[in-house]
Amino acid sequence: MDTVSSDFEWRFGPDLPEDRGQEEPHSRRSWRRWLLLLLVLLVTVGGVSAWWRGRQRTLTQAEAQVEQVARLELRALEEGDQELYMSLQDPVDRSWKAAQEAYFHTRGLPLPLQDLTNPISTTVESARLVGDQARVMLIHRAALPSGGEGLFHAVRFYRYTSDGHWLHTRADPDCGGDVVAFISDDLEITVFANDPLRIDALTRQLAGLPHRFCSLVPCRRYALFGIDSTSDPQKARSLPAVIGFDSVLRLSLAAGLEKAAAPADAILPASFLVGAPANDAAQAAWEASLGQFLVDHLVTCEIDVRPADERGGLLFEERLRAWFKAELGTSETISPNLDLVRDALDNHAWMPLWRLWDIEPGDPEGPLAAAEIDLLLAFIEEELGPSAVAELLHPIRGASSTEELLNQVPWAELLHPLREASRSEQILNPVPWPARSSVEFQFPAYVRKRTATSTDDLSAFASYDLLIGCSEEEQGFHAAELWGWRSGAAKPILLSARPADEGLVPISWSPDGRRVLLRRQATSFPRFFILQSESSAFKRLVVPDGATPGYLGPSGWSPDGNRLTYPIFWSQSGGSVDIETRIVDLETGDETALDGQFIAWSSDGSSLLCAQPSGSESESEAWLSGVAVHDFVVAQGDGTLLRQIGEGYASAWSPESERIAMITTEQVLMAYDLTSGRSTTLLDRDTIREALDATGAVSAVSNRPFRLAWSPDGEWIAVGVTQRSDQRGIESTIVLARPGEHRLLRRESGHIVDLSWAPRGQWVHLSTYRGDRVWISVFGLNGSLLLREENTWVTWSPDGRYLALTGLGDAMTGLQIRDVNSGERRNIDVPGTCWPPIWKPRSPGQEPASQP
């Protein structure tokens, strides 16, 4: 055979071709096997996937159910539905339900922060299931006292019951890990190892707090630091008397929620159960709250837990606790609500101390009572120190009233030996506080100082145009104040506030404006004082034993303001009274005694006009019966007699001090010229009696039925007399007289108290009284009436344009300023009933006061 077929390929050796006939059946079997495996795998994966999806749906549904229960709890808290809230709690554990009842009003806020936060929102973040147990993450957002927003994370635990419900239950005991302790000095804090709180730094920060508390108030309970004195009395007695040296205060933050229902122990739930801080602001607030909780615990250990039925003093105790927290630095300094107290005083709603005892925190009057208590504690601390306030703690449970509480504190023993009254205080009150008075007596003056919108030092009195002394006599609020007012100012300024019996009443200003004469308000033991400009040191006018100082008016000042005259009344046997005039040199302190009653200084201050007792008797005429006769003399400042003017019933010195007007014993109005020594008759006897309509007997008011007053320009003399007749009763008549002319000016009912002129001489001012009423009349030279007020005092501004009006008794409260030209009145808001105010005199060349 010559040829070979192309379909064949010869191979030699081991690479012989396989038998294809055998290969094809084996390949088919392998492919089928893998296909079968693939189908099984697909079926398995599909089944598992279906099972997983079903399980996830079930888990999701269960998680949604738990989250729904958590949201339902939050809604119940928000709406105050306690029945709904408690129905969602696990009923198996009674302690758990008791804890939840106690926490119902916290709205789920992190403890112990209820009083330091204002909730913004609480949301359910996520739920996690493990078998029949579930955990839910809550996020609390709350406004903090710092103004920031705190973020807190809390975990709640739920149990699936046999009847198919999820209920809020106690925490898993293993969720927090091991319990660890942090110790620093006298403080130990235990927490779970997994607690997110920065306890190490917080323990060091709060260390020493127990010792400082027991240094402030002597601690009586040795068991308060975790040592049970009932089970181990010997161990308790071995502790030192001052707790804080060897004792350790133990605080636990490793408990469940059910442990926090007992307020007397030092156990709190773990922070992650109630709301662990999740930002810096929340951490700072949590630390501050924990410090306050420690103080509350220390207080509770001293005075025990308050019984539920014991309500008296509840608010007092709450504010005392707040004071301890501020004093120990665990809270901000207490700032009493002064606006609330100020409004209460303005609206006569002040609560006396005795009422504070029965006010509870939730009462409508609670905020005002809290502000008053805060002020009371601040006052005691300012006067006697923090220990005096701390001494209120122990007796607060045994007391039944505010008065009893304050009386149980030994104030005299707490007075620091180095605290002595200032020289001015010793002058005003020789017996130092507190021995001479009580807290109730001193407290209102302190309140007025704190609530005044503006205050100034009393030494700045010379910078004011008007000084006003006022007295407040509200129920439980008695205080006396001295106010200063500047022309054009909207409000007065408080210069002094003192207890009611120690208040300072301004009497008169020295002509140069450098000094002011004051009187203490005490009616039983009055005193008079001089206050120098730019000084708060008082100089007391010394009154001899057995004498009583008389009225000191503006005319007592010498023109240069360096000397002051004042009368002293000596009681004699038989009921008679002798009058002596004292002249005190305010520069040197020297005093001169002058026999007789001071009337006026000369314009240059070189001499004085005085009325000395006369040996003469009044004429037997009915209308002069019983009227004292005086011997009018001019004396030098040292008491040396210069000139005798004559005998008579009344006298007055002319503004230029060249003439002296006098009603003589012959019933003649005479003007005596000091330069020439001549006397001029202005009104003879018949004219006086005709002008005065002298038909009845004169009514002697302090033996002074006659009053004389020169006009500022020296042109007119105002003559007044008080008479009593059957037809008209008691009546005062005013006549104007000058050489060659006289006119009847006015008749008013009642006795003459004061007759004077306006500074510029355009008006005459008359004060009269009858019975228990006082009338003020201001009229022109033609008799026209400008003003007539009942139970009111008025004083003129230096330029004569304004009148300052104050009420007598309940006739008027506060102060009014009246513009004489326009008649417009302006109320100056000063509290209480005020004495006649005094205007600051104008120095030569000073412009008139601006319009108020």
Side-chain angles (χ1 to χ4, degrees):
M1 292 187 307
D2 299 327
T3 63
V4 181
S5 173
S6 60
D7 294 331
F8 294 92
E9 179 178 357
W10 295 94
R11 298 180 180 275
F12 300 91
D15 297 328
L16 294 177
E18 298 180 356
D19 188 348
R20 294 185 179 182
Q22 297 177 353
E23 176 183 13
E24 183 175 353
H26 175 76
S27 298
R28 285 196 296 271
R29 286 195 300 271
S30 176
W31 179 80
R32 289 172 183 168
R33 187 167 56 250
W34 284 105
L35 181 61
L36 180 61
L37 292 173
L38 179 61
L39 290 174
V40 172
L41 179 62
L42 290 175
V43 171
T44 301
V45 169
V48 170
S49 176
W51 171 82
W52 178 257
R53 287 195 300 270
R55 183 179 184 280
Q56 286 298 107
R57 283 195 298 269
T58 302
L59 184 62
T60 301
Q61 291 174 357
E63 290 175 347
Q65 290 175 359
V66 176
E67 292 176 4
Q68 183 179 8
V69 171
R71 292 190 179 94
L72 194 59
E73 279 188 293
L74 295 179
R75 193 183 76 185
L77 289 171
E78 184 70 26
E79 296 176 355
D81 191 340
Q82 186 172 4
E83 182 179 358
L84 174 61
Y85 181 78
M86 295 307 300
S87 69
L88 301 175
Q89 309 306 312
D90 192 345
V92 175
D93 192 340
R94 293 183 178 180
S95 63
W96 169 258
K97 294 206 70 172
Q100 291 305 298
E101 289 177 354
Y103 293 152
F104 174 73
H105 297 288
T106 68
R107 298 179 61 188
L109 289 176
L111 293 175
L113 288 171
Q114 288 82 9
D115 295 334
L116 295 181
T117 58
N118 185 21
I120 297 176
S121 65
T122 302
T123 58
V124 178
E125 187 69 13
S126 62
R128 179 185 174 188
L129 271 65
V130 179
D132 63 349
Q133 302 289 323
R135 300 181 184 181
V136 176
M137 173 68 73
L138 301 182
I139 297 180
H140 300 290
R141 296 182 182 275
L144 304 176
S146 62
E149 182 177 302
L151 188 64
F152 304 88
H153 290 174
V155 178
R156 288 191 175 186
F157 292 80
Y158 294 83
R159 182 178 67 85
Y160 191 71
T161 63
S162 58
D163 58 355
H165 295 90
W166 289 98
L167 296 178
H168 192 185
T169 189
R170 66 170 57 219
D172 183 352
D174 299 325
C175 63
D178 296 333
V179 176
V180 295
F182 297 88
I183 303 176
S184 180
D185 295 335
D186 53 3
L187 180 64
E188 175 186 293
I189 301 180
T190 56
V191 294
F192 286 116
N194 297 335
D195 198 303
L197 282 175
R198 298 191 289 268
I199 293 298
D200 190 13
L202 179 59
T203 306
R204 293 193 300 271
Q205 176 183 336
L206 297 177
L209 182 63
H211 176 68
R212 288 189 289 119
F213 175 83
C214 292
S215 298
L216 188 62
V217 52
C219 294
R220 299 176 179 175
R221 303 296 179 86
Y222 296 145
L224 64 86
F225 290 157
I227 298 176
D228 188 354
S229 61
T230 58
S231 61
D232 192 359
Q234 184 62 35
K235 189 174 184 180
R237 286 194 294 269
S238 67
L239 290 174
V242 180
I243 295 179
F245 282 96
D246 301 324
S247 302
V248 175
L249 173 61
R250 294 178 174 86
L251 173 65
S252 173
L253 300 179
L257 291 177
E258 67 279 0
K259 289 292 185 181
D265 58 28
I267 300 175
L268 286 174
S271 66
F272 61 85
L273 297 179
V274 290
N279 61 2
D280 291 340
Q283 176 74 24
W286 222 102
E287 293 173 357
S289 177
L290 189 59
Q292 295 187 32
F293 173 81
L294 285 178
V295 176
D296 269 327
H297 175 64
L298 290 168
V299 170
T300 300
C301 289
E302 284 297 300
I303 60 176
D304 293 328
V305 178
R306 175 181 285 269
D309 59 349
E310 184 180 317
R311 311 305 296 174
L314 183 60
L315 183 60
F316 225 109
E317 180 181 327
E318 178 187 281
R319 301 316 304 158
L320 187 58
R321 287 176 180 267
W323 179 88
F324 272 104
K325 295 172 186 177
E327 185 68 23
L328 294 172
T330 62
S331 69
E332 297 293 330
T333 302
I334 296 177
S335 298
N337 192 334
L338 299 180
D339 290 336
L340 201 60
V341 177
R342 187 182 299 112
D343 290 342
L345 290 174
D346 292 343
N347 296 306
H348 309 286
W350 167 264
M351 283 189 290
L353 292 182
W354 61 267
R355 283 199 59 203
L356 300 179
W357 192 257
D358 297 321
I359 303 297
E360 298 186 15
D363 292 347
E365 297 169 311
L368 174 59
E372 291 189 19
I373 294 173
D374 289 342
L375 275 174
L376 176 62
L377 300 181
F379 164 68
I380 296 173
E381 181 177 8
E382 184 174 311
E383 289 292 333
L384 298 174
S387 295
V389 182
E391 278 292 322
L392 295 172
L393 179 62
H394 288 137
I396 196 168
R397 288 291 173 78
S400 59
S401 65
T402 307
E403 182 180 7
E404 184 178 349
L405 172 65
L406 297 178
N407 288 340
Q408 292 185 29
V409 178
W411 303 109
E413 297 177 9
L414 292 169
L415 189 62
H416 196 283
L418 297 180
R419 181 187 181 272
E420 296 181 355
S422 65
R423 177 60 181 165
S424 294
E425 183 67 22
Q426 291 176 1
I427 291 174
L428 289 173
N429 298 287
V431 182
W433 190 79
R436 61 183 167 82
S437 59
S438 64
V439 176
E440 296 91 336
F441 182 71
Q442 296 280 339
F443 180 51
Y446 174 82
V447 173
R448 179 51 71 188
K449 291 178 186 176
R450 291 290 305 272
T451 56
T453 55
S454 300
T455 61
D456 200 355
D457 192 85
L458 183 57
S459 60
F461 72 89
S463 65
Y464 293 88
D465 296 315
L466 197 66
L467 298 181
I468 315 107
C470 302
S471 178
E472 296 184 79
E473 298 292 337
E474 295 290 337
Q475 182 182 20
F477 192 92
H478 305 283
E481 300 100 29
L482 181 61
W483 300 83
W485 181 73
R486 295 186 177 100
S487 297
K491 295 182 178 181
I493 307 297
L494 180 65
L495 303 180
S496 171
R498 304 181 64 83
D501 203 38
E502 300 175 4
L504 300 173
V505 179
I507 300 299
S508 61
W509 221 309
S510 64
D512 58 0
R514 294 187 300 118
R515 297 182 176 94
V516 67
L517 176 66
L518 303 165
R519 177 177 61 82
R520 202 179 78 162
Q521 284 197 18
T523 55
S524 59
F525 190 47
R527 287 194 178 98
F528 297 89
F529 309 92
I530 299 293
L531 188 61
Q532 181 80 28
S533 176
E534 300 180 357
S535 172
S536 57
F538 292 93
K539 175 180 175 60
R540 183 163 67 90
L541 301 183
V542 179
V543 179
D545 293 339
T548 302
Y551 173 77
L552 291 90
S555 60
W557 293 95
S558 62
D560 60 2
N562 291 331
R563 288 171 294 175
L564 179 68
T565 62
Y566 61 96
I568 293 180
F569 301 100
W570 296 88
S571 299
Q572 303 297 331
S573 59
S576 63
V577 176
D578 288 344
I579 302 176
E580 177 184 277
T581 295
R582 288 292 182 95
I583 307 171
V584 56
D585 190 316
L586 300 176
E587 297 291 335
T588 64
D590 297 336
E591 290 201 20
T592 302
L594 184 64
D595 185 25
Q597 185 175 357
F598 166 80
I599 296 178
W601 283 91
S602 62
S603 59
D604 60 2
S606 62
S607 54
L608 306 89
L609 177 62
C610 297
Q612 295 181 341
S614 174
S616 303
E617 296 182 358
S618 300
E619 295 189 14
S620 60
E621 296 181 56
W623 85 298
L624 290 176
S625 177
V627 178
V629 176
H630 300 283
D631 191 2
F632 298 105
V633 298
V634 175
Q636 289 183 331
D638 60 2
T640 304
L641 183 63
L642 288 178
R643 183 177 303 183
Q644 185 169 358
I645 306 302
E647 292 182 327
Y649 303 110
S651 180
W653 212 330
S654 65
E656 77 284 358
S657 299
E658 295 178 355
R659 294 168 294 168
I660 294 178
M662 180 175 62
I663 295 181
T664 68
T665 54
E666 290 81 17
Q667 305 163 41
V668 173
L669 176 61
M670 179 194 71
Y672 180 84
D673 191 304
L674 293 172
T675 303
S676 63
R678 297 177 181 176
S679 297
T680 302
T681 299
L682 301 179
L683 295 175
D684 59 25
R685 172 191 172 108
D686 294 337
T687 304
I688 286 182
R689 299 198 57 167
E690 178 185 354
L692 297 179
D693 192 17
T695 58
V698 296
S699 179
V701 181
S702 298
N703 285 334
R704 294 183 61 189
F706 294 102
R707 299 297 175 108
L708 298 179
W710 286 87
S711 64
D713 59 5
E715 181 179 357
W716 290 96
I717 300 176
V719 182
V721 66
T722 300
Q723 300 180 87
R724 181 187 292 110
S725 67
D726 295 335
Q727 292 80 16
R728 294 192 295 266
I730 299 177
E731 185 180 61
S732 295
T733 305
I734 309 300
V735 173
L736 291 185
R738 62 181 176 182
E741 182 182 353
H742 70 274
R743 69 178 72 155
L744 175 64
L745 190 61
R746 193 83 182 174
R747 295 187 188 277
E748 294 285 344
S749 176
H751 300 267
I752 297 178
V753 178
D754 181 52
L755 178 63
S756 59
W757 292 77
R760 292 186 178 179
Q762 72 274 43
W763 306 101
V764 176
H765 164 238
L766 175 67
S767 298
T768 61
Y769 82 90
R770 185 173 185 179
D772 59 350
R773 292 288 185 266
V774 174
W775 285 270
I776 301 298
S777 302
V778 177
F779 37 83
L781 302 188
N782 60 359
S784 60
L785 188 65
L786 172 70
L787 175 73
R788 181 174 173 82
E789 297 283 344
E790 182 180 359
N791 284 347
T792 303
W793 298 112
V794 300
T795 54
W796 292 93
S797 64
D799 60 358
R801 179 175 177 180
Y802 302 105
L803 280 171
L805 293 84
T806 54
L808 180 65
D810 298 330
M812 179 195 303
T813 58
L815 170 71
Q816 285 186 355
I817 304 295
R818 171 166 175 162
D819 189 318
V820 174
N821 296 335
S822 65
E824 179 183 357
R825 294 197 183 198
R826 176 180 177 181
N827 292 322
I828 305 300
D829 188 16
V830 288
T833 302
C834 301
W835 301 85
I838 59 173
W839 293 85
K840 179 182 179 181
R842 291 205 319 271
S843 300
Q846 181 180 345
E847 292 299 322
S850 58
Q851 181 175 354

